[in-house]
mmCIF file of all heavy atoms in Angstrom:
data_model
loop_
_atom_site.group_PDB
_atom_site.id
_atom_site.type_symbol
_atom_site.label_atom_id
_atom_site.label_comp_id
_atom_site.label_asym_id
_atom_site.label_seq_id
_atom_site.Cartn_x
_atom_site.Cartn_y
_atom_site.Cartn_z
ATOM 1 N N GLN A 97 -36.067 -37.869 -12.600
ATOM 2 C CA GLN A 97 -36.849 -36.641 -12.536
ATOM 3 C C GLN A 97 -37.833 -36.571 -13.704
ATOM 4 O O GLN A 97 -38.940 -36.068 -13.564
ATOM 5 C CB GLN A 97 -35.898 -35.440 -12.560
ATOM 6 C CG GLN A 97 -36.561 -34.093 -12.338
ATOM 7 C CD GLN A 97 -37.103 -33.926 -10.917
ATOM 8 O OE1 GLN A 97 -36.687 -34.647 -9.998
ATOM 9 N NE2 GLN A 97 -38.058 -33.031 -10.751
ATOM 10 N N GLN A 100 -40.820 -38.395 -12.802
ATOM 11 C CA GLN A 100 -41.663 -37.552 -11.958
ATOM 12 C C GLN A 100 -42.539 -36.641 -12.817
ATOM 13 O O GLN A 100 -43.716 -36.455 -12.552
ATOM 14 C CB GLN A 100 -40.773 -36.691 -11.061
ATOM 15 C CG GLN A 100 -39.923 -37.448 -10.093
ATOM 16 C CD GLN A 100 -40.411 -37.288 -8.665
ATOM 17 O OE1 GLN A 100 -41.016 -36.288 -8.317
ATOM 18 N NE2 GLN A 100 -40.167 -38.308 -7.857
ATOM 19 N N LEU A 104 -46.703 -36.346 -13.324
ATOM 20 C CA LEU A 104 -47.508 -35.144 -13.132
ATOM 21 C C LEU A 104 -48.582 -35.005 -14.211
ATOM 22 O O LEU A 104 -49.517 -34.229 -14.084
ATOM 23 C CB LEU A 104 -46.615 -33.904 -13.158
ATOM 24 C CG LEU A 104 -45.772 -33.670 -11.922
ATOM 25 C CD1 LEU A 104 -44.811 -32.518 -12.154
ATOM 26 C CD2 LEU A 104 -46.658 -33.359 -10.730
ATOM 27 N N ASP A 106 -51.694 -35.868 -16.214
ATOM 28 C CA ASP A 106 -52.916 -36.671 -16.067
ATOM 29 C C ASP A 106 -53.991 -36.125 -16.994
ATOM 30 O O ASP A 106 -53.713 -35.243 -17.815
ATOM 31 C CB ASP A 106 -53.383 -36.684 -14.596
ATOM 32 C CG ASP A 106 -53.529 -35.274 -14.040
ATOM 33 O OD1 ASP A 106 -53.626 -34.326 -14.860
ATOM 34 O OD2 ASP A 106 -53.524 -35.111 -12.818
ATOM 35 N N ASN A 109 -54.366 -32.528 -17.208
ATOM 36 C CA ASN A 109 -53.191 -31.824 -17.726
ATOM 37 C C ASN A 109 -52.472 -32.725 -18.723
ATOM 38 O O ASN A 109 -51.357 -33.162 -18.488
ATOM 39 C CB ASN A 109 -52.268 -31.530 -16.532
ATOM 40 C CG ASN A 109 -51.578 -30.194 -16.710
ATOM 41 O OD1 ASN A 109 -51.622 -29.613 -17.792
ATOM 42 N ND2 ASN A 109 -50.936 -29.734 -15.655
ATOM 43 N N PHE A 112 -48.817 -31.998 -20.201
ATOM 44 C CA PHE A 112 -47.901 -31.360 -19.250
ATOM 45 C C PHE A 112 -46.435 -31.545 -19.627
ATOM 46 O O PHE A 112 -45.659 -30.596 -19.689
ATOM 47 C CB PHE A 112 -48.151 -31.884 -17.829
ATOM 48 C CG PHE A 112 -47.236 -31.288 -16.827
ATOM 49 C CD1 PHE A 112 -47.409 -29.970 -16.393
ATOM 50 C CD2 PHE A 112 -46.156 -32.010 -16.311
ATOM 51 C CE1 PHE A 112 -46.557 -29.409 -15.483
ATOM 52 C CE2 PHE A 112 -45.298 -31.438 -15.397
ATOM 53 C CZ PHE A 112 -45.507 -30.131 -14.978
ATOM 54 N N ASP A 123 -36.372 -22.032 -23.198
ATOM 55 C CA ASP A 123 -35.536 -21.387 -22.193
ATOM 56 C C ASP A 123 -34.063 -21.688 -22.432
ATOM 57 O O ASP A 123 -33.207 -20.812 -22.378
ATOM 58 C CB ASP A 123 -35.973 -21.893 -20.814
ATOM 59 C CG ASP A 123 -35.387 -21.054 -19.715
ATOM 60 O OD1 ASP A 123 -35.419 -19.811 -19.836
ATOM 61 O OD2 ASP A 123 -34.880 -21.639 -18.747
ATOM 62 N N ARG A 126 -32.608 -19.859 -25.372
ATOM 63 C CA ARG A 126 -32.334 -18.468 -25.011
ATOM 64 C C ARG A 126 -31.044 -18.381 -24.176
ATOM 65 O O ARG A 126 -30.166 -17.567 -24.440
ATOM 66 C CB ARG A 126 -33.506 -17.917 -24.188
ATOM 67 C CG ARG A 126 -33.349 -16.453 -23.836
ATOM 68 C CD ARG A 126 -34.502 -15.963 -23.003
ATOM 69 N NE ARG A 126 -34.601 -16.638 -21.709
ATOM 70 C CZ ARG A 126 -33.843 -16.354 -20.661
ATOM 71 N NH1 ARG A 126 -32.943 -15.402 -20.758
ATOM 72 N NH2 ARG A 126 -33.945 -16.996 -19.528
ATOM 73 N N GLN A 151 -29.171 -21.148 -14.205
ATOM 74 C CA GLN A 151 -30.530 -21.308 -14.702
ATOM 75 C C GLN A 151 -30.670 -22.597 -15.506
ATOM 76 O O GLN A 151 -31.597 -23.380 -15.305
ATOM 77 C CB GLN A 151 -30.897 -20.125 -15.602
ATOM 78 C CG GLN A 151 -31.127 -18.827 -14.864
ATOM 79 C CD GLN A 151 -32.466 -18.798 -14.170
ATOM 80 O OE1 GLN A 151 -33.422 -19.427 -14.625
ATOM 81 N NE2 GLN A 151 -32.521 -18.117 -13.043
ATOM 82 N N LYS A 153 -28.873 -25.150 -15.470
ATOM 83 C CA LYS A 153 -28.694 -26.324 -14.628
ATOM 84 C C LYS A 153 -29.990 -26.635 -13.888
ATOM 85 O O LYS A 153 -30.439 -27.776 -13.832
ATOM 86 C CB LYS A 153 -27.563 -26.058 -13.635
ATOM 87 C CG LYS A 153 -27.274 -27.211 -12.726
ATOM 88 C CD LYS A 153 -26.154 -26.871 -11.769
ATOM 89 C CE LYS A 153 -26.198 -27.778 -10.562
ATOM 90 N NZ LYS A 153 -26.268 -27.034 -9.315
ATOM 91 N N GLY A 154 -30.605 -25.584 -13.370
ATOM 92 C CA GLY A 154 -31.860 -25.782 -12.656
ATOM 93 C C GLY A 154 -32.925 -26.360 -13.561
ATOM 94 O O GLY A 154 -33.604 -27.344 -13.205
ATOM 95 N N SER A 155 -33.056 -25.788 -14.761
ATOM 96 C CA SER A 155 -34.092 -26.272 -15.670
ATOM 97 C C SER A 155 -33.834 -27.718 -16.062
ATOM 98 O O SER A 155 -34.743 -28.551 -16.025
ATOM 99 C CB SER A 155 -34.116 -25.440 -16.948
ATOM 100 O OG SER A 155 -33.836 -24.124 -16.682
ATOM 101 N N SER A 158 -34.596 -30.093 -13.453
ATOM 102 C CA SER A 158 -36.024 -30.207 -13.197
ATOM 103 C C SER A 158 -36.729 -31.127 -14.183
ATOM 104 O O SER A 158 -37.709 -31.769 -13.820
ATOM 105 C CB SER A 158 -36.677 -28.836 -13.270
ATOM 106 O OG SER A 158 -36.666 -28.244 -12.006
ATOM 107 N N SER B 737 -34.391 -13.489 -16.094
ATOM 108 C CA SER B 737 -34.772 -14.198 -17.307
ATOM 109 C C SER B 737 -36.291 -14.278 -17.445
ATOM 110 O O SER B 737 -36.859 -15.350 -17.479
ATOM 111 C CB SER B 737 -34.160 -15.580 -17.276
ATOM 112 O OG SER B 737 -34.565 -16.218 -16.098
ATOM 113 N N GLN B 739 -39.786 -14.128 -19.115
ATOM 114 C CA GLN B 739 -40.174 -14.590 -20.439
ATOM 115 C C GLN B 739 -40.922 -13.525 -21.173
ATOM 116 O O GLN B 739 -41.536 -12.638 -20.595
ATOM 117 C CB GLN B 739 -41.080 -15.794 -20.279
ATOM 118 C CG GLN B 739 -40.314 -17.079 -20.329
ATOM 119 C CD GLN B 739 -41.268 -18.180 -20.480
ATOM 120 O OE1 GLN B 739 -42.210 -18.268 -19.697
ATOM 121 N NE2 GLN B 739 -41.060 -19.018 -21.459
ATOM 122 N N ASP B 1049 -36.774 -18.644 -9.127
ATOM 123 C CA ASP B 1049 -36.627 -17.798 -10.303
ATOM 124 C C ASP B 1049 -36.672 -18.582 -11.607
ATOM 125 O O ASP B 1049 -36.885 -18.003 -12.655
ATOM 126 C CB ASP B 1049 -35.321 -16.999 -10.227
ATOM 127 C CG ASP B 1049 -34.118 -17.907 -10.216
ATOM 128 O OD1 ASP B 1049 -34.188 -18.955 -9.532
ATOM 129 O OD2 ASP B 1049 -33.130 -17.590 -10.878
ATOM 130 N N ASN B 1050 -36.457 -19.866 -11.524
ATOM 131 C CA ASN B 1050 -36.437 -20.665 -12.754
ATOM 132 C C ASN B 1050 -37.843 -21.146 -13.056
ATOM 133 O O ASN B 1050 -38.454 -21.889 -12.287
ATOM 134 C CB ASN B 1050 -35.485 -21.844 -12.552
ATOM 135 C CG ASN B 1050 -35.295 -22.607 -13.831
ATOM 136 O OD1 ASN B 1050 -36.265 -22.957 -14.498
ATOM 137 N ND2 ASN B 1050 -34.048 -22.862 -14.174
ATOM 138 N N LYS B 1051 -38.352 -20.713 -14.195
ATOM 139 C CA LYS B 1051 -39.784 -20.954 -14.412
ATOM 140 C C LYS B 1051 -40.097 -22.415 -14.677
ATOM 141 O O LYS B 1051 -41.211 -22.860 -14.446
ATOM 142 C CB LYS B 1051 -40.309 -20.069 -15.540
ATOM 143 C CG LYS B 1051 -39.535 -20.162 -16.805
ATOM 144 C CD LYS B 1051 -39.830 -18.933 -17.626
ATOM 145 C CE LYS B 1051 -38.872 -18.850 -18.782
ATOM 146 N NZ LYS B 1051 -37.473 -18.720 -18.333
ATOM 147 N N ASN B 1053 -38.602 -24.835 -13.102
ATOM 148 C CA ASN B 1053 -38.730 -25.348 -11.737
ATOM 149 C C ASN B 1053 -40.068 -24.961 -11.147
ATOM 150 O O ASN B 1053 -40.726 -25.757 -10.461
ATOM 151 C CB ASN B 1053 -37.620 -24.785 -10.852
ATOM 152 C CG ASN B 1053 -36.266 -25.287 -11.282
ATOM 153 O OD1 ASN B 1053 -36.179 -26.196 -12.123
ATOM 154 N ND2 ASN B 1053 -35.218 -24.720 -10.726
ATOM 155 N N ASN B 1059 -46.928 -27.924 -10.272
ATOM 156 C CA ASN B 1059 -47.748 -29.078 -10.653
ATOM 157 C C ASN B 1059 -47.679 -30.196 -9.631
ATOM 158 O O ASN B 1059 -48.666 -30.853 -9.344
ATOM 159 C CB ASN B 1059 -47.315 -29.580 -12.017
ATOM 160 C CG ASN B 1059 -48.081 -28.863 -13.108
ATOM 161 O OD1 ASN B 1059 -49.216 -29.220 -13.405
ATOM 162 N ND2 ASN B 1059 -47.498 -27.817 -13.645
ATOM 163 N N GLN B 1063 -50.733 -31.714 -7.572
ATOM 164 C CA GLN B 1063 -51.025 -33.146 -7.438
ATOM 165 C C GLN B 1063 -51.152 -33.538 -5.977
ATOM 166 O O GLN B 1063 -51.917 -34.419 -5.630
ATOM 167 C CB GLN B 1063 -49.899 -33.949 -8.075
ATOM 168 C CG GLN B 1063 -49.795 -33.745 -9.561
ATOM 169 C CD GLN B 1063 -50.318 -34.924 -10.347
ATOM 170 O OE1 GLN B 1063 -50.118 -36.064 -9.937
ATOM 171 N NE2 GLN B 1063 -50.996 -34.683 -11.444
ATOM 172 N N ALA B 1150 -29.222 -25.990 -4.812
ATOM 173 C CA ALA B 1150 -28.796 -26.662 -6.034
ATOM 174 C C ALA B 1150 -27.505 -27.437 -5.805
ATOM 175 O O ALA B 1150 -26.813 -27.772 -6.738
ATOM 176 C CB ALA B 1150 -28.603 -25.624 -7.135
ATOM 177 N N VAL B 1173 -36.688 -30.792 -7.240
ATOM 178 C CA VAL B 1173 -37.744 -31.154 -6.309
ATOM 179 C C VAL B 1173 -38.460 -32.409 -6.825
ATOM 180 O O VAL B 1173 -38.698 -32.552 -8.025
ATOM 181 C CB VAL B 1173 -38.754 -29.995 -6.198
ATOM 182 C CG1 VAL B 1173 -39.834 -30.308 -5.206
ATOM 183 C CG2 VAL B 1173 -38.037 -28.719 -5.827
ATOM 184 N N THR B 1174 -38.732 -33.303 -5.917
ATOM 185 C CA THR B 1174 -39.474 -34.510 -6.311
ATOM 186 C C THR B 1174 -40.734 -34.626 -5.460
ATOM 187 O O THR B 1174 -40.861 -33.975 -4.423
ATOM 188 C CB THR B 1174 -38.623 -35.768 -6.104
ATOM 189 O OG1 THR B 1174 -38.312 -35.858 -4.713
ATOM 190 C CG2 THR B 1174 -37.343 -35.714 -6.900
ATOM 191 N N PHE B 1175 -41.594 -35.484 -5.917
ATOM 192 C CA PHE B 1175 -42.812 -35.764 -5.137
ATOM 193 C C PHE B 1175 -42.476 -36.145 -3.723
ATOM 194 O O PHE B 1175 -43.050 -35.649 -2.764
ATOM 195 C CB PHE B 1175 -43.564 -36.945 -5.787
ATOM 196 C CG PHE B 1175 -44.538 -36.484 -6.830
ATOM 197 C CD1 PHE B 1175 -44.487 -37.004 -8.118
ATOM 198 C CD2 PHE B 1175 -45.523 -35.569 -6.520
ATOM 199 C CE1 PHE B 1175 -45.380 -36.596 -9.081
ATOM 200 C CE2 PHE B 1175 -46.438 -35.165 -7.482
ATOM 201 C CZ PHE B 1175 -46.373 -35.672 -8.767
#
Side-chain angles (χ1 to χ4, degrees):
Chain A
Q97 187 68 19
Q100 297 252 332
L104 285 173
D106 53 19
N109 216 348
F112 179 74
D123 193 45
R126 183 181 63 79
Q151 288 284 330
K153 181 180 159 236
S155 324
S158 270
Chain B
S737 56
Q739 267 193 308
D1049 62 319
N1050 187 311
K1051 53 200 169 298
N1053 294 350
N1059 271 279
Q1063 295 255 322
V1173 182
T1174 61
F1175 271 126

